[in-house]
Amino acid sequence: MTDIGLRRCVMREWRAEFRRAFRDEYVQYVLDTGFGDYLKAPGNLGATLAVRDLDAERCEMVTLSWWTDREAIKAFAGADISKAHYYPEDDRYLLTKPEGVQHYDCLGPGRS
């Protein structure tokens, strides 16, 4: 494969709906907790956070993080990497709290 700035990795996707009234507050909370933890974790290659308004009451958040391999995800999230990783204040904001996350084999950030 030609080196175009991508490497083989695993992408982890989490998404949930939350209260629109807390949009800015929840985004900051996620940046300070889960997102910050992603970026500090060994084996993490980067992450992105996306938010969209669904209606007057709800927003949806999606986080995508890229990891060197599933072992790095286990070190972050625990032995069952299919389970979502939540923080103490999430219940205050979330309308949905999915139990699972998705993982994809992919080409992502960083040179192989």
Side-chain angles (χ1 to χ4, degrees), residues 39-100:
L39 297 177
K40 292 184 281 187
N44 179 269
L45 301 171
T48 192
L49 182 151
V51 175
R52 69 181 178 132
D53 295 337
L54 296 174
D55 57 35
E57 303 295 320
R58 302 173 304 138
C59 289
E60 180 182 45
M61 178 179 288
V62 177
T63 62
L64 301 174
S65 56
W66 291 270
W67 301 82
T68 54
D69 53 38
R70 284 173 168 72
E71 290 304 312
I73 298 170
K74 283 181 186 177
F76 167 75
D80 184 355
I81 65 169
S82 69
K83 290 182 72 174
H85 187 80
Y86 288 100
Y87 291 82
E89 294 296 316
D90 281 327
D91 287 338
R92 176 172 179 238
Y93 303 104
L94 291 175
L95 296 169
T96 62
K97 196 172 177 183
E99 291 184 25

Side-chain angles (χ1 to χ4, degrees), residues 5 10 15 33 36 43 46 78 85-86 96 104:
V10 179
R15 65 178 59 227
T33 57
H85 187 80
Y86 288 100
T96 62
Y104 304 84

